[in-house]
Amino acid sequence: MPPLARFGVSIEKSLLEQFDAIIRDRHYPTRSKAIEDHIRQIIAENEFSKDTNEAIGTIDVVYDHHKWELLNHLTNIQHDFQEVILSSQHIHLDHHNCFEIVVVKGGKNKLEKLANMIKSTKGVKHCSLQLLAAPGKV
Ligand code: NI
């Protein structure tokens, strides 16, 4: 475990009370753990402001599998980006809809390009990209 640092913080009392209520709701064991998580989040967001950063994440896609051209198109896109796709999972949601979760790792710009290509495909009902800084960056 890396060495720990202690520091004192002075903030408005009501702000601290609201923070404590939130971290209780979220089941944080200690205030230190909650503050540490939020510091990590700020660092990760800051890392993301740099274009060349490695990231890991998922692309969640919902589409109607009855549109055959759409299926082919999505498969072609994923083959073109196979170097950043770690895996994908297909879930048959209902008679019409498929839910695909694509796990990705690579340069942030490339992952955003992949998600945008999927999102702009005709027939895709939902497409969202969730990214985290790659481990070791935070
Ligand atoms: Ni399906």
Side-chain angles (χ1 to χ4, degrees):
M1 188 174 180
L4 299 178
R6 290 181 188 276
F7 63 99
V9 179
S10 301
I11 60 171
E12 282 179 31
K13 189 168 185 280
S14 65
L15 201 58
L16 183 60
E17 287 166 357
Q18 288 175 66
F19 185 70
D20 283 344
I22 291 168
I23 67 178
R24 260 196 314 277
D25 282 351
R26 295 185 185 183
H27 305 286
Y28 275 103
T30 62
R31 191 186 281 157
S32 290
K33 169 68 175 147
I35 291 170
E36 186 180 292
D37 275 7
H38 286 80
I39 289 174
R40 284 181 195 282
Q41 188 180 339
I42 289 167
I43 293 170
E45 286 168 6
N46 187 58
E47 287 292 315
F48 266 5
S49 66
K50 301 170 191 163
D51 282 342
T52 55
N53 272 323
E54 281 274 302
I56 55 173
T58 58
I59 303 171
D60 300 336
V61 190
V62 176
Y63 59 89
D64 184 338
H65 74 95
H66 289 120
K67 300 181 196 300
W68 296 105
E69 284 181 21
L70 165 68
L71 267 179
N72 268 334
H73 191 67
L74 290 179
T75 302
N76 285 337
I77 292 172
Q78 292 194 38
H79 278 265
D80 287 345
F81 283 82
Q82 51 87 20
E83 74 275 11
V84 296
I85 295 176
L86 299 179
S87 73
S88 66
Q89 184 172 20
H90 185 107
I91 295 116
H92 308 301
L93 272 186
D94 55 36
H95 183 70
H96 297 285
N97 296 300
C98 297
F99 177 32
E100 208 157 294
I101 303 164
V102 184
V103 180
V104 291
K105 180 183 178 191
K108 183 188 159 214
N109 285 351
K110 186 145 199 174
L111 301 182
E112 284 174 345
K113 186 177 176 194
L114 169 59
N116 285 334
M117 284 180 75
I118 293 172
K119 192 181 291 186
S120 61
T121 300
K122 197 174 175 193
V124 169
K125 296 178 175 179
H126 170 87
C127 176
S128 64
L129 171 68
Q130 278 82 40
L131 291 179
L132 296 167
K137 301 285 179 187
V138 184

